[in-house]
Amino acid sequence: MVMWFERSNRRLLRTRVPHLVTVAIAIVGLIVLLGGLPVVAATTGAPSPIESKAGVFFKAGEYPEVTALYRSLPPDATPSKEFLRLVLQSYVRLGRTDEALSIYSKLIQPGQSHDAALLRPLALGMITSHVRDRKEHIRIAAYSALAELGLPETAAILEDGLLDSSVVVRARAAEAIGKSGLSAQSGPLRRALRDAMPTVRIAAMTALGEGNATDVRQRLMDVARTEDGPESVFASAALVKLGQSEQLAEITSAATLPDAESRMAALGVLGRLKRPASLAVLAQAVYDPDPSVRAFAAGALGEFGSPDGAAPLTHAIGDESAMIRAVAAASLGKLGIKDTRPLLSALTRDPDAHVRANAAEGLLRLGDTSAIALAAELARHPDPSIRGTAAQALSASPDEEQALTILQALLSDQQPLPRLSAAKALRKSNDRAIPILLQGLRDTDEAVRIAAANSLLQQLAKQPTSKRRR
């Protein structure tokens, strides 16, 4: 299908190429007949004939022809950098990001400053080229990355994702539209309010609420009034975002419903809304009889970020459930209260390795770099899930250099989970992570490549404009 599309596209372009472009191509062809094409630019700085021909093809959208020119070069040829840039961009537009990455390695040698103008489209192409992958988990990874990035230029891809057969992909696409600031104008997102699956409807309601889409207020009110469970809770949360603060009482009431899913949904929403009156509800929920609800409460207290959450979290770190102790440890770190350091230090001796890793994360959030030693030890744990949790902990390290060394090693782990976690953690490091993330773009696992591309884009976005192309 792709080959047919490319042939059809070339036929179409040939019928519509302006006369001047046709003449230019003919002239370049004549040069070839008369004496061949030098592949190095002249010393005067003028573009070489092959570079000129590539430029004509590129402007006409004939990207396969640009790449064909490159493949036709003799092995000992030395292409100009401008020609290689055109080849790289052509590969990106064709969705052939592996070849584009190979060209980038020819343009930028080790030790040279990286070119954000080339890296950004290459990394984004690494993600968008997988949005129609046959494997559902890869499509989910691609749309999850786009949801984190929130790039308005991906609008068409995001709305296309609302038609995917996967419920999770559709939900991630709705979330991404919200993060991209496109909710107010998106018709497909409004149609997603009537999706067959509650998960997608909830994601659409949340995105529209955050986007201040006042035209859907009546629909949200109907859902809040007539539906049961989490869907009603999220409809009320969207209405609060739209200015109807009285709906907060409905969410608070849901936190005490017999249905555990409703309680978890309410606690999660209250943590994100951060309304002072809700803190007491979250604090009480760490005593809930359901372990999953207690875990949600501990996570929501960290999200809420109030110092007053330290007392209930202190109770939660003594919970009989290791899952709850782990979540509470990470949340304590998020509060940034130095006085909680002894509590977290005690958890570094917990019998459960996940709890120890989250305690290390909490300590690192408090600026305690001694926890790096524990994270490094856990990064060598025989269980790959523990190594992955250690990578996540290192993302909070104030000592970026030490963390970078350990994360680089984890990015070469034999198992994909630690590599995936390391690729995600590197987005929070400094720009020395860029060469390491380029290594991640070559990973054998598609999900790791997508995560590395996501982190690379976030690294590039942090750089000042003056450094984006040096």
Side-chain angles (χ1 to χ4, degrees):
M1 175 63 75
V2 173
M3 292 179 62
W4 174 86
F5 177 81
E6 291 181 356
R7 287 198 300 270
S8 299
N9 192 36
R10 289 199 294 270
R11 286 197 298 270
L12 180 62
L13 285 168
R14 278 196 290 270
T15 62
R16 298 186 179 181
V17 171
H19 177 66
L20 288 176
V21 174
T22 305
V23 171
I25 293 174
I27 291 171
V28 173
L30 181 59
I31 293 172
V32 174
L33 290 174
L34 290 176
L37 285 170
V39 295
V40 186
T43 56
T44 60
S48 68
I50 195 169
E51 184 180 314
S52 299
K53 186 176 183 181
V56 170
F57 282 136
F58 188 83
K59 289 178 181 178
E62 290 274 12
Y63 307 124
E65 301 298 340
V66 178
T67 61
L69 279 176
Y70 174 72
R71 293 194 304 273
S72 69
L73 294 178
D76 58 346
T78 306
S80 70
K81 287 196 171 184
E82 192 54 42
F83 174 55
L84 289 176
R85 290 175 70 89
L86 291 174
V87 175
L88 185 151
Q89 293 174 80
S90 296
Y91 275 132
V92 168
R93 282 162 172 76
L94 292 170
R96 294 163 61 179
T97 49
D98 289 343
E99 289 97 328
L101 187 58
S102 176
I103 298 297
Y104 185 82
S105 66
K106 296 178 184 296
L107 277 166
I108 307 296
Q109 300 300 316
Q112 291 183 331
S113 297
H114 287 281
D115 190 335
L118 293 177
L119 268 185
R120 190 181 186 280
L122 196 163
L124 183 57
M126 186 72 72
I127 298 171
T128 57
S129 63
H130 287 94
V131 296
R132 292 188 177 178
D133 197 282
R134 290 176 296 175
K135 298 183 284 293
E136 181 186 16
H137 76 280
I138 299 302
R139 300 201 306 279
I140 291 171
Y143 275 98
S144 296
L146 292 173
E148 289 183 15
L149 291 165
L151 301 174
E153 69 230 57
T154 62
I157 291 173
L158 300 181
E159 291 187 339
D160 185 59
L162 294 173
L163 303 174
D164 196 277
S165 60
S166 167
V167 175
V168 180
V169 168
R170 297 202 302 276
R172 289 288 182 268
E175 181 184 351
I177 291 171
K179 293 285 183 65
S180 304
L182 303 169
S183 301
Q185 299 83 27
S186 178
L189 184 62
R190 285 160 174 75
R191 290 193 288 275
L193 290 173
R194 301 186 182 278
D195 192 277
M197 300 303 294
T199 304
V200 181
R201 299 197 296 268
I202 286 171
M205 287 189 295
T206 301
L208 289 163
E210 292 176 348
N212 197 32
T214 55
D215 60 300
V216 301
R217 182 181 281 119
Q218 186 58 53
R219 171 66 181 168
L220 296 172
M221 291 176 65
D222 291 343
V223 173
R225 185 176 61 252
T226 62
E227 296 293 336
D228 296 322
E231 192 167 0
S232 175
V233 172
F234 282 96
S236 293
L239 287 167
V240 171
K241 286 285 189 179
L242 292 176
Q244 294 188 217
S245 56
E246 68 276 7
Q247 290 295 131
L248 191 64
E250 297 297 323
I251 304 171
T252 302
S253 296
T256 61
L257 289 174
D259 175 26
E261 287 192 359
S262 294
R263 299 202 301 278
M264 287 188 284
L267 294 170
V269 163
L270 291 174
R272 287 193 294 273
L273 289 174
K274 305 181 191 299
R275 303 301 167 96
S278 305
L279 185 58
V281 178
L282 298 177
Q284 183 60 36
V286 299
Y287 300 93
D288 195 279
D290 189 304
S292 297
V293 176
R294 298 201 301 276
F296 257 79
L301 284 165
E303 187 90 14
F304 199 98
S306 170
D308 292 334
L313 285 172
T314 299
H315 170 81
I317 62 173
D319 199 282
E320 62 182 6
S321 167
M323 171 183 67
I324 296 164
R325 297 198 303 274
V327 174
S331 288
L332 264 180
K334 290 178 181 178
L335 299 187
I337 302 173
K338 300 290 186 181
D339 291 343
T340 61
R341 185 178 296 173
L343 298 172
L344 291 169
S345 295
L347 283 179
T348 62
R349 298 183 292 275
D350 194 277
D352 187 278
H354 284 288
V355 176
R356 297 199 299 274
N358 279 32
E361 178 183 339
L363 287 168
L364 290 171
R365 288 184 183 277
L366 296 179
D368 187 348
T369 56
S370 66
I372 294 178
L374 173 58
E377 176 189 334
L378 294 170
R380 299 187 295 271
H381 196 280
D383 184 341
S385 69
I386 303 298
R387 301 199 296 275
T389 308
Q392 178 183 319
L394 287 164
S395 69
S397 174
D399 188 332
E400 295 181 345
E401 297 306 313
Q402 284 194 66
L404 203 60
T405 300
I406 304 169
L407 290 172
Q408 184 172 13
L410 284 170
L411 199 59
S412 300
D413 196 279
Q414 292 185 349
Q415 296 295 320
L417 178 57
R419 301 201 305 272
L420 182 66
S421 297
K424 291 179 178 179
L426 284 165
R427 71 190 58 168
K428 297 183 180 179
S429 187
N430 55 38
D431 59 3
R432 285 190 57 199
I434 291 178
I436 303 172
L437 288 168
L438 283 171
Q439 169 193 339
L441 294 184
R442 296 180 172 88
D443 198 275
T444 56
D445 187 282
E446 295 100 324
V448 176
R449 294 203 296 271
I450 290 169
N454 181 359
S455 293
L456 183 55
L457 285 165
Q458 295 194 42
Q459 280 285 349
L460 294 173
K462 290 191 297 184
Q463 292 188 352
T465 305
S466 59
K467 291 182 65 178
R468 292 185 184 177
R469 185 178 179 185
R470 294 178 295 177

